[in-house]
Amino acid sequence: MSSKYWAVFKISWENGLVYRLNFTLWRVRSVLQLLLVYFIWWTVFQTQDQIFNYTKVSILTYVMVASLIRAIILSSRAVDVSAQINDGSIVNFLVKPLGFIKYYFARDLADKLLNISFVIFEIILLVIILKPPLLIQQNFEILLFFTLATILGLFLYFAMAFCIGMLAFWVENAWGPLFLVTIILEGFGGGLFPIDILPKNIYDYVMLTPFPYLIYFPAKLYLGNLPTMEIFKGFIILISWVFIGWYLMMAILQQGLKRYTAFGY
Amino acid sequence: MKKYFLVWLKFAILGFQTQLALPSALFIFLLGKLLRFSVFTFFIIILVDKTKALAGYNLDQTIFFFLSFNLIDTVSQLLFREVYRFRQAVVLGNFDFYLIKPIHPLFRALMGGPDLIDFITLIPLVLATIVFMNRLEINNLLSIMIYILLLISGFIIALAFHILVLALAVITTEIDHAIMMYRDVVGMGRFPIDIYREPLRGFLTFIIPVGIMMSFPTKAILGLLSWQAIVYALIFSLIMLYLSFKVWDYSLKQYSSASS
């Protein structure tokens, strides 16, 4: 990372620490979302030993790991892009030797690091309080796949959020599409439930979209019970979406800037 | 009262016209809300269909909890959408204009921007609630009246929460997430409060009264709530509303105009 983007990274990190109350409330929100999902599944396993091929240990591990993945992948500043286009402050990037995408990516990394440091603390606290039976994955190969899928998911979500934000070049309000994607992610990303509890035909279709690769796929990899063929297929689709996402992001930025007209006083 | 109703009607018409000016955005938000509702309903169906019960409630009962939650949540979003924009008014100094107008500033801050999208979603929601009432064979008029009374009580608590968020925005302008945090806390009432383990369940019933707001109406209509609990819920909601008014008054005393 060149020095100017390192400076952006540091400023974003410090910025996050300045608005502490705001950030703390954001984290409290994440914990509340985690508690809702945790207790739904905890209640289900009060009367069952196994359901949808999940045991109490595997589903509660899934919930906790999904929460960690959310903090890594879904914490992104790329959602601010539309506001910068709408209020005209994007011109700052056009007159400065700063890459628009690189700038946001550096901000993203700082935001993710801040979120990760908090989510680890939160999960440890919840594990101490709730004492859920958890699977501690020790297989190095599985952990490697998990890490790789998470990193690829991070790139994919960044590209997705950035593309949606850049819709502001064409439409007055890009919040609508972003809201819609957030909702789709809630259902088909795997945050509320693992996708493989869906009927097989729906599951097959959903797995062709980018959404399950943002939470479900890495979390499922961590559990270590995905067949090799599924892992292989999953990575092929994930990598394809990352390439498509980044290609689209570059293309949309180029087209958007051509179309953009700055005005003001 | 009539004056306030006419002013609110004006706010509503202007708000609806603004939303109708961007039909594509209106469509996307509406689609998003319907999708979220469908995803949760679908999840409840596949989960409870497999487990036969969730915290002792069958599929129809669990869906009824979810519908009651949505009724209170949608009505409060429909009426109090302006709260989401209030912080900006404080930061930019526009709140000063609320204070000098011959309309109560709390009324303006709470109800100045009704949401058309929530109005559209409210109609099928009410119909679905009636359908599930029939499926659960609830036809006792007294039970239905108590259910409506407890929905109103839940709505009063939602009102009190929104006033507290407004007061918080006046006192400290830093908080962006307060209203969203309220949404997340209340969102824990999508499912019966019985799914939570103690002490969280007690906390969600008596400290942050999500249980009273969201679970009590359904429990009452299913005949699972004592009359003492019903009276408690009604008194609690009124006390909470009274306290929220007091906090609002306090926040106004702390207010000093912002911006240029």
Side-chain angles (χ1 to χ4, degrees), chain A residues 21-22 25 29 32 36 39-40 42-43 48 51 130 176 186 193 198, chain B residues 28 40 42-43 51 176-177 180-181 184-185 191 195-197 200:
Chain A
L21 184 59
N22 218 12
L25 287 177
R29 290 189 60 199
L32 293 174
L36 173 71
F39 277 109
I40 292 169
W42 179 81
T43 308
Q48 322 266 331
I51 185 168
L130 302 170
E186 208 171 295
F193 52 85
L198 292 171
Chain B
I28 289 173
F40 268 97
F42 188 57
F43 174 52
T51 58
D176 279 332
H177 291 293
M180 296 316 288
M181 208 172 94
D184 287 330
V185 171
F191 294 87
I195 68 165
Y196 301 103
R197 206 164 79 183
L200 184 64

PDB file of all heavy atoms in Angstrom, chain A residues 21-22 25 29 32 36 39-40 42-43 48 51 130 176 186 193 198, chain B residues 28 40 42-43 51 176-177 180-181 184-185 191 195-197 200:
ATOM      1  N   LEU A  21     -18.998   6.730  20.426  1.00  0.00           N
ATOM      2  CA  LEU A  21     -20.363   6.380  20.820  1.00  0.00           C
ATOM      3  C   LEU A  21     -21.126   5.803  19.622  1.00  0.00           C
ATOM      4  O   LEU A  21     -21.806   4.777  19.723  1.00  0.00           O
ATOM      5  CB  LEU A  21     -21.077   7.611  21.371  1.00  0.00           C
ATOM      6  CG  LEU A  21     -22.492   7.379  21.903  1.00  0.00           C
ATOM      7  CD1 LEU A  21     -22.483   6.361  23.034  1.00  0.00           C
ATOM      8  CD2 LEU A  21     -23.106   8.680  22.385  1.00  0.00           C
ATOM      9  N   ASN A  22     -20.940   6.483  18.500  1.00  0.00           N
ATOM     10  CA  ASN A  22     -21.572   6.041  17.266  1.00  0.00           C
ATOM     11  C   ASN A  22     -21.136   4.623  16.910  1.00  0.00           C
ATOM     12  O   ASN A  22     -21.953   3.759  16.582  1.00  0.00           O
ATOM     13  CB  ASN A  22     -21.134   7.002  16.155  1.00  0.00           C
ATOM     14  CG  ASN A  22     -22.254   7.278  15.200  1.00  0.00           C
ATOM     15  OD1 ASN A  22     -23.395   6.940  15.475  1.00  0.00           O
ATOM     16  ND2 ASN A  22     -21.933   7.873  14.091  1.00  0.00           N
ATOM     17  N   LEU A  25     -22.504   1.992  19.329  1.00  0.00           N
ATOM     18  CA  LEU A  25     -23.908   1.678  19.053  1.00  0.00           C
ATOM     19  C   LEU A  25     -24.040   0.759  17.836  1.00  0.00           C
ATOM     20  O   LEU A  25     -24.875  -0.145  17.807  1.00  0.00           O
ATOM     21  CB  LEU A  25     -24.712   2.955  18.837  1.00  0.00           C
ATOM     22  CG  LEU A  25     -25.006   3.778  20.085  1.00  0.00           C
ATOM     23  CD1 LEU A  25     -25.748   5.048  19.725  1.00  0.00           C
ATOM     24  CD2 LEU A  25     -25.832   2.973  21.081  1.00  0.00           C
ATOM     25  N   ARG A  29     -25.693  -2.966  17.853  1.00  0.00           N
ATOM     26  CA  ARG A  29     -26.681  -3.423  16.869  1.00  0.00           C
ATOM     27  C   ARG A  29     -26.293  -4.797  16.328  1.00  0.00           C
ATOM     28  O   ARG A  29     -27.133  -5.678  16.188  1.00  0.00           O
ATOM     29  CB  ARG A  29     -26.760  -2.440  15.695  1.00  0.00           C
ATOM     30  CG  ARG A  29     -27.383  -1.125  16.049  1.00  0.00           C
ATOM     31  CD  ARG A  29     -27.607  -0.320  14.796  1.00  0.00           C
ATOM     32  NE  ARG A  29     -28.499  -1.043  13.898  1.00  0.00           N
ATOM     33  CZ  ARG A  29     -28.606  -0.806  12.598  1.00  0.00           C
ATOM     34  NH1 ARG A  29     -27.869   0.113  12.038  1.00  0.00           N
ATOM     35  NH2 ARG A  29     -29.444  -1.498  11.859  1.00  0.00           N
ATOM     36  N   LEU A  32     -27.059  -7.439  18.860  1.00  0.00           N
ATOM     37  CA  LEU A  32     -28.501  -7.720  18.939  1.00  0.00           C
ATOM     38  C   LEU A  32     -28.935  -8.640  17.805  1.00  0.00           C
ATOM     39  O   LEU A  32     -29.709  -9.575  18.001  1.00  0.00           O
ATOM     40  CB  LEU A  32     -29.306  -6.412  18.895  1.00  0.00           C
ATOM     41  CG  LEU A  32     -29.154  -5.494  20.102  1.00  0.00           C
ATOM     42  CD1 LEU A  32     -29.882  -4.185  19.859  1.00  0.00           C
ATOM     43  CD2 LEU A  32     -29.704  -6.148  21.359  1.00  0.00           C
ATOM     44  N   LEU A  36     -30.533 -12.499  18.254  1.00  0.00           N
ATOM     45  CA  LEU A  36     -31.802 -12.968  17.680  1.00  0.00           C
ATOM     46  C   LEU A  36     -31.599 -14.310  16.984  1.00  0.00           C
ATOM     47  O   LEU A  36     -32.312 -15.288  17.265  1.00  0.00           O
ATOM     48  CB  LEU A  36     -32.354 -11.931  16.693  1.00  0.00           C
ATOM     49  CG  LEU A  36     -33.594 -12.371  15.909  1.00  0.00           C
ATOM     50  CD1 LEU A  36     -34.817 -12.450  16.802  1.00  0.00           C
ATOM     51  CD2 LEU A  36     -33.890 -11.440  14.743  1.00  0.00           C
ATOM     52  N   PHE A  39     -30.606 -17.216  19.438  1.00  0.00           N
ATOM     53  CA  PHE A  39     -31.665 -17.778  20.288  1.00  0.00           C
ATOM     54  C   PHE A  39     -32.737 -18.523  19.500  1.00  0.00           C
ATOM     55  O   PHE A  39     -33.366 -19.434  20.040  1.00  0.00           O
ATOM     56  CB  PHE A  39     -32.273 -16.695  21.186  1.00  0.00           C
ATOM     57  CG  PHE A  39     -31.447 -16.470  22.413  1.00  0.00           C
ATOM     58  CD1 PHE A  39     -30.710 -15.318  22.577  1.00  0.00           C
ATOM     59  CD2 PHE A  39     -31.359 -17.448  23.402  1.00  0.00           C
ATOM     60  CE1 PHE A  39     -29.922 -15.127  23.705  1.00  0.00           C
ATOM     61  CE2 PHE A  39     -30.575 -17.265  24.534  1.00  0.00           C
ATOM     62  CZ  PHE A  39     -29.849 -16.102  24.684  1.00  0.00           C
ATOM     63  N   ILE A  40     -32.939 -18.130  18.236  1.00  0.00           N
ATOM     64  CA  ILE A  40     -33.879 -18.918  17.421  1.00  0.00           C
ATOM     65  C   ILE A  40     -33.365 -20.355  17.356  1.00  0.00           C
ATOM     66  O   ILE A  40     -34.085 -21.319  17.634  1.00  0.00           O
ATOM     67  CB  ILE A  40     -34.012 -18.332  15.992  1.00  0.00           C
ATOM     68  CG1 ILE A  40     -34.703 -16.986  16.015  1.00  0.00           C
ATOM     69  CG2 ILE A  40     -34.786 -19.294  15.080  1.00  0.00           C
ATOM     70  CD1 ILE A  40     -34.628 -16.237  14.693  1.00  0.00           C
ATOM     71  N   TRP A  42     -30.996 -21.798  19.191  1.00  0.00           N
ATOM     72  CA  TRP A  42     -30.848 -22.390  20.534  1.00  0.00           C
ATOM     73  C   TRP A  42     -32.188 -22.997  20.962  1.00  0.00           C
ATOM     74  O   TRP A  42     -32.239 -24.112  21.488  1.00  0.00           O
ATOM     75  CB  TRP A  42     -30.392 -21.297  21.509  1.00  0.00           C
ATOM     76  CG  TRP A  42     -30.234 -21.784  22.909  1.00  0.00           C
ATOM     77  CD1 TRP A  42     -29.172 -22.455  23.436  1.00  0.00           C
ATOM     78  CD2 TRP A  42     -31.187 -21.646  23.980  1.00  0.00           C
ATOM     79  NE1 TRP A  42     -29.389 -22.738  24.753  1.00  0.00           N
ATOM     80  CE2 TRP A  42     -30.621 -22.256  25.112  1.00  0.00           C
ATOM     81  CE3 TRP A  42     -32.444 -21.056  24.093  1.00  0.00           C
ATOM     82  CZ2 TRP A  42     -31.277 -22.295  26.350  1.00  0.00           C
ATOM     83  CZ3 TRP A  42     -33.094 -21.099  25.310  1.00  0.00           C
ATOM     84  CH2 TRP A  42     -32.518 -21.714  26.417  1.00  0.00           C
ATOM     85  N   THR A  43     -33.287 -22.261  20.727  1.00  0.00           N
ATOM     86  CA  THR A  43     -34.620 -22.759  21.094  1.00  0.00           C
ATOM     87  C   THR A  43     -34.971 -24.018  20.310  1.00  0.00           C
ATOM     88  O   THR A  43     -35.514 -24.976  20.867  1.00  0.00           O
ATOM     89  CB  THR A  43     -35.689 -21.674  20.808  1.00  0.00           C
ATOM     90  OG1 THR A  43     -35.274 -20.490  21.428  1.00  0.00           O
ATOM     91  CG2 THR A  43     -37.053 -22.062  21.338  1.00  0.00           C
ATOM     92  N   GLN A  48     -34.784 -30.778  19.855  1.00  0.00           N
ATOM     93  CA  GLN A  48     -34.277 -31.642  18.769  1.00  0.00           C
ATOM     94  C   GLN A  48     -32.790 -31.898  18.984  1.00  0.00           C
ATOM     95  O   GLN A  48     -32.100 -31.066  19.568  1.00  0.00           O
ATOM     96  CB  GLN A  48     -34.418 -30.934  17.411  1.00  0.00           C
ATOM     97  CG  GLN A  48     -35.654 -30.107  17.205  1.00  0.00           C
ATOM     98  CD  GLN A  48     -36.745 -30.874  16.526  1.00  0.00           C
ATOM     99  OE1 GLN A  48     -36.478 -31.786  15.756  1.00  0.00           O
ATOM    100  NE2 GLN A  48     -37.988 -30.547  16.820  1.00  0.00           N
ATOM    101  N   ILE A  51     -31.345 -31.340  13.097  1.00  0.00           N
ATOM    102  CA  ILE A  51     -32.347 -30.825  12.165  1.00  0.00           C
ATOM    103  C   ILE A  51     -31.632 -30.230  10.951  1.00  0.00           C
ATOM    104  O   ILE A  51     -30.580 -29.602  11.098  1.00  0.00           O
ATOM    105  CB  ILE A  51     -33.270 -29.790  12.865  1.00  0.00           C
ATOM    106  CG1 ILE A  51     -34.371 -29.352  11.917  1.00  0.00           C
ATOM    107  CG2 ILE A  51     -32.557 -28.611  13.403  1.00  0.00           C
ATOM    108  CD1 ILE A  51     -35.476 -28.561  12.597  1.00  0.00           C
ATOM    109  N   LEU A 130     -22.911 -17.102  27.400  1.00  0.00           N
ATOM    110  CA  LEU A 130     -23.915 -18.074  26.926  1.00  0.00           C
ATOM    111  C   LEU A 130     -23.427 -19.525  26.976  1.00  0.00           C
ATOM    112  O   LEU A 130     -24.242 -20.450  26.944  1.00  0.00           O
ATOM    113  CB  LEU A 130     -24.349 -17.728  25.491  1.00  0.00           C
ATOM    114  CG  LEU A 130     -24.948 -16.334  25.278  1.00  0.00           C
ATOM    115  CD1 LEU A 130     -25.108 -16.036  23.795  1.00  0.00           C
ATOM    116  CD2 LEU A 130     -26.299 -16.213  25.975  1.00  0.00           C
ATOM    117  N   GLY A 176     -32.168   2.989  -2.603  1.00  0.00           N
ATOM    118  CA  GLY A 176     -33.154   1.940  -2.880  1.00  0.00           C
ATOM    119  C   GLY A 176     -32.507   0.615  -3.246  1.00  0.00           C
ATOM    120  O   GLY A 176     -32.714  -0.397  -2.565  1.00  0.00           O
ATOM    121  N   GLU A 186     -29.823 -10.569   3.578  1.00  0.00           N
ATOM    122  CA  GLU A 186     -30.386 -11.063   4.843  1.00  0.00           C
ATOM    123  C   GLU A 186     -30.998 -12.454   4.635  1.00  0.00           C
ATOM    124  O   GLU A 186     -30.864 -13.346   5.470  1.00  0.00           O
ATOM    125  CB  GLU A 186     -31.477 -10.084   5.300  1.00  0.00           C
ATOM    126  CG  GLU A 186     -31.682 -10.043   6.798  1.00  0.00           C
ATOM    127  CD  GLU A 186     -32.626  -8.903   7.179  1.00  0.00           C
ATOM    128  OE1 GLU A 186     -32.260  -7.734   6.975  1.00  0.00           O
ATOM    129  OE2 GLU A 186     -33.718  -9.196   7.644  1.00  0.00           O
ATOM    130  N   PHE A 193     -30.083 -17.855   8.368  1.00  0.00           N
ATOM    131  CA  PHE A 193     -30.095 -19.320   8.370  1.00  0.00           C
ATOM    132  C   PHE A 193     -29.123 -19.839   7.299  1.00  0.00           C
ATOM    133  O   PHE A 193     -28.896 -19.153   6.290  1.00  0.00           O
ATOM    134  CB  PHE A 193     -31.506 -19.850   8.102  1.00  0.00           C
ATOM    135  CG  PHE A 193     -32.153 -19.282   6.874  1.00  0.00           C
ATOM    136  CD1 PHE A 193     -31.929 -19.838   5.626  1.00  0.00           C
ATOM    137  CD2 PHE A 193     -32.994 -18.178   6.952  1.00  0.00           C
ATOM    138  CE1 PHE A 193     -32.521 -19.320   4.483  1.00  0.00           C
ATOM    139  CE2 PHE A 193     -33.589 -17.641   5.808  1.00  0.00           C
ATOM    140  CZ  PHE A 193     -33.348 -18.220   4.577  1.00  0.00           C
ATOM    141  N   LEU A 198     -32.723 -24.677   2.757  1.00  0.00           N
ATOM    142  CA  LEU A 198     -33.751 -24.403   1.739  1.00  0.00           C
ATOM    143  C   LEU A 198     -33.992 -25.671   0.906  1.00  0.00           C
ATOM    144  O   LEU A 198     -33.114 -26.532   0.815  1.00  0.00           O
ATOM    145  CB  LEU A 198     -33.272 -23.282   0.800  1.00  0.00           C
ATOM    146  CG  LEU A 198     -33.142 -21.877   1.398  1.00  0.00           C
ATOM    147  CD1 LEU A 198     -32.451 -20.944   0.413  1.00  0.00           C
ATOM    148  CD2 LEU A 198     -34.507 -21.318   1.771  1.00  0.00           C
TER     149      LEU A 198
ATOM    150  N   ILE B  28     -38.793   0.121  -5.582  1.00  0.00           N
ATOM    151  CA  ILE B  28     -37.675  -0.670  -5.026  1.00  0.00           C
ATOM    152  C   ILE B  28     -37.823  -0.827  -3.517  1.00  0.00           C
ATOM    153  O   ILE B  28     -37.657  -1.913  -2.975  1.00  0.00           O
ATOM    154  CB  ILE B  28     -36.317  -0.032  -5.398  1.00  0.00           C
ATOM    155  CG1 ILE B  28     -36.055  -0.235  -6.892  1.00  0.00           C
ATOM    156  CG2 ILE B  28     -35.178  -0.640  -4.588  1.00  0.00           C
ATOM    157  CD1 ILE B  28     -34.849   0.485  -7.432  1.00  0.00           C
ATOM    158  N   PHE B  40     -38.640 -13.728   6.027  1.00  0.00           N
ATOM    159  CA  PHE B  40     -38.876 -14.141   7.416  1.00  0.00           C
ATOM    160  C   PHE B  40     -40.022 -15.157   7.498  1.00  0.00           C
ATOM    161  O   PHE B  40     -39.935 -16.144   8.219  1.00  0.00           O
ATOM    162  CB  PHE B  40     -39.163 -12.923   8.309  1.00  0.00           C
ATOM    163  CG  PHE B  40     -37.927 -12.378   8.949  1.00  0.00           C
ATOM    164  CD1 PHE B  40     -37.253 -11.310   8.399  1.00  0.00           C
ATOM    165  CD2 PHE B  40     -37.413 -12.944  10.108  1.00  0.00           C
ATOM    166  CE1 PHE B  40     -36.095 -10.807   8.969  1.00  0.00           C
ATOM    167  CE2 PHE B  40     -36.257 -12.449  10.697  1.00  0.00           C
ATOM    168  CZ  PHE B  40     -35.599 -11.382  10.123  1.00  0.00           C
ATOM    169  N   PHE B  42     -41.067 -17.180   5.151  1.00  0.00           N
ATOM    170  CA  PHE B  42     -40.578 -18.418   4.553  1.00  0.00           C
ATOM    171  C   PHE B  42     -39.688 -19.179   5.551  1.00  0.00           C
ATOM    172  O   PHE B  42     -39.806 -20.403   5.709  1.00  0.00           O
ATOM    173  CB  PHE B  42     -39.802 -18.066   3.279  1.00  0.00           C
ATOM    174  CG  PHE B  42     -39.404 -19.246   2.463  1.00  0.00           C
ATOM    175  CD1 PHE B  42     -40.361 -20.152   2.005  1.00  0.00           C
ATOM    176  CD2 PHE B  42     -38.078 -19.473   2.127  1.00  0.00           C
ATOM    177  CE1 PHE B  42     -39.998 -21.250   1.246  1.00  0.00           C
ATOM    178  CE2 PHE B  42     -37.707 -20.568   1.368  1.00  0.00           C
ATOM    179  CZ  PHE B  42     -38.664 -21.449   0.929  1.00  0.00           C
ATOM    180  N   PHE B  43     -38.822 -18.440   6.226  1.00  0.00           N
ATOM    181  CA  PHE B  43     -37.933 -19.066   7.218  1.00  0.00           C
ATOM    182  C   PHE B  43     -38.748 -19.702   8.344  1.00  0.00           C
ATOM    183  O   PHE B  43     -38.491 -20.845   8.744  1.00  0.00           O
ATOM    184  CB  PHE B  43     -36.964 -18.013   7.760  1.00  0.00           C
ATOM    185  CG  PHE B  43     -36.091 -18.494   8.893  1.00  0.00           C
ATOM    186  CD1 PHE B  43     -35.344 -19.656   8.765  1.00  0.00           C
ATOM    187  CD2 PHE B  43     -36.015 -17.785  10.079  1.00  0.00           C
ATOM    188  CE1 PHE B  43     -34.536 -20.111   9.808  1.00  0.00           C
ATOM    189  CE2 PHE B  43     -35.217 -18.224  11.123  1.00  0.00           C
ATOM    190  CZ  PHE B  43     -34.472 -19.388  10.990  1.00  0.00           C
ATOM    191  N   THR B  51     -39.756 -28.542  12.763  1.00  0.00           N
ATOM    192  CA  THR B  51     -39.644 -28.796  14.206  1.00  0.00           C
ATOM    193  C   THR B  51     -41.015 -29.017  14.859  1.00  0.00           C
ATOM    194  O   THR B  51     -41.086 -29.421  16.005  1.00  0.00           O
ATOM    195  CB  THR B  51     -38.978 -27.594  14.914  1.00  0.00           C
ATOM    196  OG1 THR B  51     -39.753 -26.426  14.653  1.00  0.00           O
ATOM    197  CG2 THR B  51     -37.559 -27.373  14.430  1.00  0.00           C
ATOM    198  N   ASP B 176     -26.028   8.585  15.449  1.00  0.00           N
ATOM    199  CA  ASP B 176     -26.673   8.290  14.176  1.00  0.00           C
ATOM    200  C   ASP B 176     -27.521   7.035  14.304  1.00  0.00           C
ATOM    201  O   ASP B 176     -28.524   6.871  13.644  1.00  0.00           O
ATOM    202  CB  ASP B 176     -25.608   8.002  13.108  1.00  0.00           C
ATOM    203  CG  ASP B 176     -25.037   9.272  12.536  1.00  0.00           C
ATOM    204  OD1 ASP B 176     -25.766  10.267  12.527  1.00  0.00           O
ATOM    205  OD2 ASP B 176     -23.874   9.244  12.113  1.00  0.00           O
ATOM    206  N   HIS B 177     -27.046   6.126  15.147  1.00  0.00           N
ATOM    207  CA  HIS B 177     -27.594   4.780  15.154  1.00  0.00           C
ATOM    208  C   HIS B 177     -28.716   4.556  16.160  1.00  0.00           C
ATOM    209  O   HIS B 177     -29.226   3.451  16.249  1.00  0.00           O
ATOM    210  CB  HIS B 177     -26.483   3.763  15.444  1.00  0.00           C
ATOM    211  CG  HIS B 177     -25.510   3.660  14.310  1.00  0.00           C
ATOM    212  ND1 HIS B 177     -25.856   3.151  13.081  1.00  0.00           N
ATOM    213  CD2 HIS B 177     -24.218   4.015  14.215  1.00  0.00           C
ATOM    214  CE1 HIS B 177     -24.806   3.192  12.285  1.00  0.00           C
ATOM    215  NE2 HIS B 177     -23.807   3.719  12.949  1.00  0.00           N
ATOM    216  N   MET B 180     -31.859   3.244  14.647  1.00  0.00           N
ATOM    217  CA  MET B 180     -31.648   1.915  14.074  1.00  0.00           C
ATOM    218  C   MET B 180     -31.462   0.883  15.186  1.00  0.00           C
ATOM    219  O   MET B 180     -31.858  -0.274  15.039  1.00  0.00           O
ATOM    220  CB  MET B 180     -30.426   1.911  13.148  1.00  0.00           C
ATOM    221  CG  MET B 180     -30.573   2.800  11.927  1.00  0.00           C
ATOM    222  SD  MET B 180     -32.168   2.668  11.099  1.00  0.00           S
ATOM    223  CE  MET B 180     -32.048   1.070  10.351  1.00  0.00           C
ATOM    224  N   MET B 181     -30.864   1.337  16.291  1.00  0.00           N
ATOM    225  CA  MET B 181     -30.716   0.420  17.416  1.00  0.00           C
ATOM    226  C   MET B 181     -32.084   0.072  17.998  1.00  0.00           C
ATOM    227  O   MET B 181     -32.340  -1.075  18.355  1.00  0.00           O
ATOM    228  CB  MET B 181     -29.829   1.029  18.488  1.00  0.00           C
ATOM    229  CG  MET B 181     -29.114  -0.042  19.284  1.00  0.00           C
ATOM    230  SD  MET B 181     -27.924   0.652  20.375  1.00  0.00           S
ATOM    231  CE  MET B 181     -28.887   0.787  21.843  1.00  0.00           C
ATOM    232  N   ASP B 184     -33.457  -2.567  15.882  1.00  0.00           N
ATOM    233  CA  ASP B 184     -32.867  -3.890  16.135  1.00  0.00           C
ATOM    234  C   ASP B 184     -33.388  -4.498  17.435  1.00  0.00           C
ATOM    235  O   ASP B 184     -33.657  -5.691  17.508  1.00  0.00           O
ATOM    236  CB  ASP B 184     -31.342  -3.798  16.185  1.00  0.00           C
ATOM    237  CG  ASP B 184     -30.773  -3.578  14.802  1.00  0.00           C
ATOM    238  OD1 ASP B 184     -31.382  -4.040  13.828  1.00  0.00           O
ATOM    239  OD2 ASP B 184     -29.726  -2.924  14.687  1.00  0.00           O
ATOM    240  N   VAL B 185     -33.496  -3.639  18.465  1.00  0.00           N
ATOM    241  CA  VAL B 185     -33.997  -4.142  19.760  1.00  0.00           C
ATOM    242  C   VAL B 185     -35.432  -4.641  19.581  1.00  0.00           C
ATOM    243  O   VAL B 185     -35.784  -5.753  19.977  1.00  0.00           O
ATOM    244  CB  VAL B 185     -33.942  -3.032  20.843  1.00  0.00           C
ATOM    245  CG1 VAL B 185     -34.652  -3.485  22.103  1.00  0.00           C
ATOM    246  CG2 VAL B 185     -32.514  -2.671  21.163  1.00  0.00           C
ATOM    247  N   PHE B 191     -40.081 -12.841  16.866  1.00  0.00           N
ATOM    248  CA  PHE B 191     -40.430 -14.186  17.306  1.00  0.00           C
ATOM    249  C   PHE B 191     -40.944 -14.104  18.746  1.00  0.00           C
ATOM    250  O   PHE B 191     -40.667 -13.131  19.436  1.00  0.00           O
ATOM    251  CB  PHE B 191     -39.188 -15.084  17.232  1.00  0.00           C
ATOM    252  CG  PHE B 191     -38.707 -15.294  15.822  1.00  0.00           C
ATOM    253  CD1 PHE B 191     -37.823 -14.404  15.224  1.00  0.00           C
ATOM    254  CD2 PHE B 191     -39.182 -16.358  15.064  1.00  0.00           C
ATOM    255  CE1 PHE B 191     -37.397 -14.579  13.918  1.00  0.00           C
ATOM    256  CE2 PHE B 191     -38.770 -16.537  13.748  1.00  0.00           C
ATOM    257  CZ  PHE B 191     -37.873 -15.647  13.175  1.00  0.00           C
ATOM    258  N   ILE B 195     -38.488 -17.465  23.230  1.00  0.00           N
ATOM    259  CA  ILE B 195     -37.307 -18.148  22.678  1.00  0.00           C
ATOM    260  C   ILE B 195     -36.041 -17.727  23.427  1.00  0.00           C
ATOM    261  O   ILE B 195     -35.050 -18.435  23.390  1.00  0.00           O
ATOM    262  CB  ILE B 195     -37.116 -17.917  21.151  1.00  0.00           C
ATOM    263  CG1 ILE B 195     -36.754 -16.458  20.830  1.00  0.00           C
ATOM    264  CG2 ILE B 195     -38.325 -18.380  20.351  1.00  0.00           C
ATOM    265  CD1 ILE B 195     -36.205 -16.259  19.417  1.00  0.00           C
ATOM    266  N   TYR B 196     -36.090 -16.564  24.081  1.00  0.00           N
ATOM    267  CA  TYR B 196     -34.878 -16.075  24.749  1.00  0.00           C
ATOM    268  C   TYR B 196     -34.717 -16.706  26.131  1.00  0.00           C
ATOM    269  O   TYR B 196     -35.683 -16.983  26.818  1.00  0.00           O
ATOM    270  CB  TYR B 196     -34.893 -14.548  24.847  1.00  0.00           C
ATOM    271  CG  TYR B 196     -34.974 -13.909  23.498  1.00  0.00           C
ATOM    272  CD1 TYR B 196     -36.181 -13.379  23.024  1.00  0.00           C
ATOM    273  CD2 TYR B 196     -33.879 -13.892  22.652  1.00  0.00           C
ATOM    274  CE1 TYR B 196     -36.269 -12.826  21.758  1.00  0.00           C
ATOM    275  CE2 TYR B 196     -33.969 -13.340  21.378  1.00  0.00           C
ATOM    276  CZ  TYR B 196     -35.164 -12.807  20.938  1.00  0.00           C
ATOM    277  OH  TYR B 196     -35.258 -12.288  19.685  1.00  0.00           O
ATOM    278  N   ARG B 197     -33.449 -16.891  26.494  1.00  0.00           N
ATOM    279  CA  ARG B 197     -33.121 -17.509  27.776  1.00  0.00           C
ATOM    280  C   ARG B 197     -33.081 -16.430  28.850  1.00  0.00           C
ATOM    281  O   ARG B 197     -32.746 -15.287  28.555  1.00  0.00           O
ATOM    282  CB  ARG B 197     -31.728 -18.146  27.627  1.00  0.00           C
ATOM    283  CG  ARG B 197     -31.450 -19.296  28.533  1.00  0.00           C
ATOM    284  CD  ARG B 197     -30.248 -20.062  28.016  1.00  0.00           C
ATOM    285  NE  ARG B 197     -28.972 -19.438  28.332  1.00  0.00           N
ATOM    286  CZ  ARG B 197     -27.790 -19.916  27.930  1.00  0.00           C
ATOM    287  NH1 ARG B 197     -27.736 -21.002  27.191  1.00  0.00           N
ATOM    288  NH2 ARG B 197     -26.678 -19.330  28.255  1.00  0.00           N
ATOM    289  N   LEU B 200     -32.063 -12.736  29.778  1.00  0.00           N
ATOM    290  CA  LEU B 200     -32.366 -11.876  28.638  1.00  0.00           C
ATOM    291  C   LEU B 200     -33.870 -11.710  28.443  1.00  0.00           C
ATOM    292  O   LEU B 200     -34.357 -10.622  28.128  1.00  0.00           O
ATOM    293  CB  LEU B 200     -31.721 -12.454  27.362  1.00  0.00           C
ATOM    294  CG  LEU B 200     -31.865 -11.618  26.100  1.00  0.00           C
ATOM    295  CD1 LEU B 200     -31.153 -10.274  26.232  1.00  0.00           C
ATOM    296  CD2 LEU B 200     -31.325 -12.351  24.876  1.00  0.00           C
TER     297      LEU B 200
END
